[in-house]
């Protein structure tokens, strides 16, 4: 009954804020312009653009109501459930991008779960954020989103390298190397390829662009210095999350390609989607 009341209250608030619709409509006009340009130049992305716009609208409105309900609950299990849903969706998305990696979805799920849990545990135990849905769900979403991308990058890079360098790896195995020793170069390359984009973003933050967390706070009326403090925390937090997830996914991925007898499994060229 409480959930139903909260949902009805949320609907009332939504109708009370209809003044925001003209602003949304003006922003939507930019999407229409993009579609017209695509049609004019025969880029062929009009349908994808329309689908993406409609899906994003429905998904964001739906998640808005869900968050309203969760924020009004005192039971922390709702927060944990929401994070778990995010992880499952992220693991499935990352798993589909895993190309030739065996059990890619399982690797993604474990990597994202452990990497995100470690990062959130450090932040909560250290007192950076309190374990409230208003804090943990947005922060967890950022962490899980970046962890999802990292897991996919690691699996893709390692599967490509193992496929391309199979003769060298098998030669090392024949000379008595363990699977970890034979795949050490590929392991390091996969981890590095996942971390470098985030490191480069951290290097240039504030010089090339103002990130989302900082921009959102400034638009909400916070002082630039307050926004900067939060953005610093977010940037360092994501570097940690990417590192944890990248290391775990690299370890789990390479193990999927070798048998217990230190033999490289049969590999097939990944099919691009």
């Amino acid at each position: 009954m409480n959930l139903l009341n909260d949902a009805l209250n949320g609907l009332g608030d939504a109708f009370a804020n209809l003044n925001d619709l003209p602003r949304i409509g003006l922003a939507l006009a930019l999407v229409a312009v993009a579609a017209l340009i695509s049609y004019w130049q025969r880029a062929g992305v009009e349908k994808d653009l329309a689908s993406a716009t409609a899906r994003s609208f429905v998904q964001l409105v739906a998640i808005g109501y869900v968050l309203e309900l969760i924020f009004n609950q005192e039971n922390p299990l709702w927060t944990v459930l929401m994070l778990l849903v995010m992880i499952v969706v992220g693991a499935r998305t990352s798993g589909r991008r895993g190309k030739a990696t065996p059990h890619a979805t399982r690797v993604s799920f474990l990597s994202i779960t452990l990497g995100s849990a470690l990062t959130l545990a450090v932040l909560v135990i250290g007192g950076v954020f309190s374990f409230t849905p208003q804090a943990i769900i947005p922060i967890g979403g950022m962490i899980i989103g970046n962890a999802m991308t990292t897991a996919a990058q690691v699996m893709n890079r390692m599967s490509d390298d193992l496929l391309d360098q199979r003769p060298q790896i098998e030669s090392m195995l024949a000379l008595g190397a363990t699977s970890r020793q034979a795949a050490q170069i590929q392991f390091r390359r996969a981890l590095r390829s996942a971390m470098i984009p985030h490191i480069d973003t951290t290097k240039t933050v504030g010089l090339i662009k103002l990130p989302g967390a900082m921009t959102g706070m400034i638009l909400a009326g916070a002082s630039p210095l307050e926004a900067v403090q939060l953005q610093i925390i977010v940037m360092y937090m994501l570097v940690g999350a990417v590192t944890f997830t990248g290391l775990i996914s690299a370890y789990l991925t390479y193990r999927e390609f070798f048998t217990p007898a230190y033999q490289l499994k049969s590999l097939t060229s990944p099919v691009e989607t």
Side-chain angles (χ1 to χ4, degrees):
M1 183 62 69
N2 289 335
L3 291 177
L4 179 59
N5 290 334
D6 290 338
L8 293 175
N9 291 333
L11 285 172
D13 293 339
F15 285 111
N17 292 325
L18 288 178
N19 290 332
D20 288 338
L21 291 180
R23 299 167 60 190
I24 296 175
L26 288 174
L28 184 61
L30 296 175
V31 179
V33 171
L36 289 174
I37 292 175
S38 172
Y39 178 78
W40 172 41
Q41 293 296 324
R42 298 182 179 179
V45 297
E46 305 94 281
K47 291 184 179 179
D48 290 337
L49 190 59
S51 174
T53 302
R55 284 188 58 178
S56 64
F57 180 83
V58 173
Q59 290 168 184
L60 288 173
V61 170
I63 196 63
Y65 284 121
V66 171
L67 292 179
E68 282 280 357
L69 295 176
I70 294 176
F71 287 177
N72 291 327
Q73 307 307 310
E74 297 181 358
N75 193 336
L77 290 178
W78 286 103
T79 300
V80 175
L81 179 61
M82 185 67 188
L83 293 176
L84 183 59
V85 170
M86 292 179 178
I87 290 173
V88 170
V89 174
R92 291 191 61 185
T93 302
S94 181
R96 286 197 295 267
R97 302 292 184 185
K99 296 185 177 181
T101 302
H103 308 112
T105 300
R106 182 178 67 186
V107 171
S108 297
F109 179 79
L110 292 174
S111 303
I112 295 171
T113 300
L114 294 175
S116 301
L118 283 171
T119 306
L120 285 172
V122 171
L123 295 173
V124 173
I125 293 173
V128 178
F129 297 107
S130 58
F131 195 84
T132 61
Q134 290 84 350
I136 295 301
I137 291 178
I139 293 299
M142 285 188 279
I143 291 173
I144 294 167
N146 282 269
M148 174 189 71
T149 303
T150 299
Q153 289 174 331
V154 168
M155 289 189 294
N156 286 343
R157 181 60 187 265
M158 189 169 291
S159 63
D160 288 344
D161 283 357
L162 291 175
L163 177 66
D164 293 340
Q165 299 159 25
R166 184 184 185 101
Q168 299 94 309
I169 295 172
E170 290 184 330
S171 296
M172 294 180 67
L173 293 172
L175 293 173
T178 64
S179 57
R180 178 60 187 273
Q181 290 171 335
Q184 187 64 43
I185 294 176
Q186 292 74 24
F187 185 100
R188 291 172 178 169
R189 285 177 178 171
L191 182 59
R192 178 180 174 83
S193 69
M195 292 180 62
I196 286 298
H198 296 274
I199 294 174
D200 288 344
T201 299
T202 304
K203 286 181 180 178
T204 59
V205 64
L207 298 177
I208 297 177
K209 67 175 182 178
L210 298 181
M214 180 177 175
T215 302
M217 286 193 66
I218 292 175
L219 290 175
S223 71
L225 291 179
E226 290 176 335
V228 164
Q229 291 178 28
L230 177 62
Q231 188 59 57
I232 290 173
I233 294 173
V234 169
M235 293 300 300
Y236 296 166
M237 167 191 79
L238 294 181
V239 169
V242 166
T243 303
F244 291 148
T245 305
L247 184 61
I248 295 168
S249 59
Y251 175 77
L252 294 176
T253 299
Y254 103 84
R255 287 176 61 89
E256 291 290 342
F257 284 97
F258 292 88
T259 68
Y262 299 153
Q263 295 173 322
L264 185 60
K265 296 178 182 179
S266 298
L267 301 176
T268 57
S269 299
V271 178
E272 294 292 343
T273 57

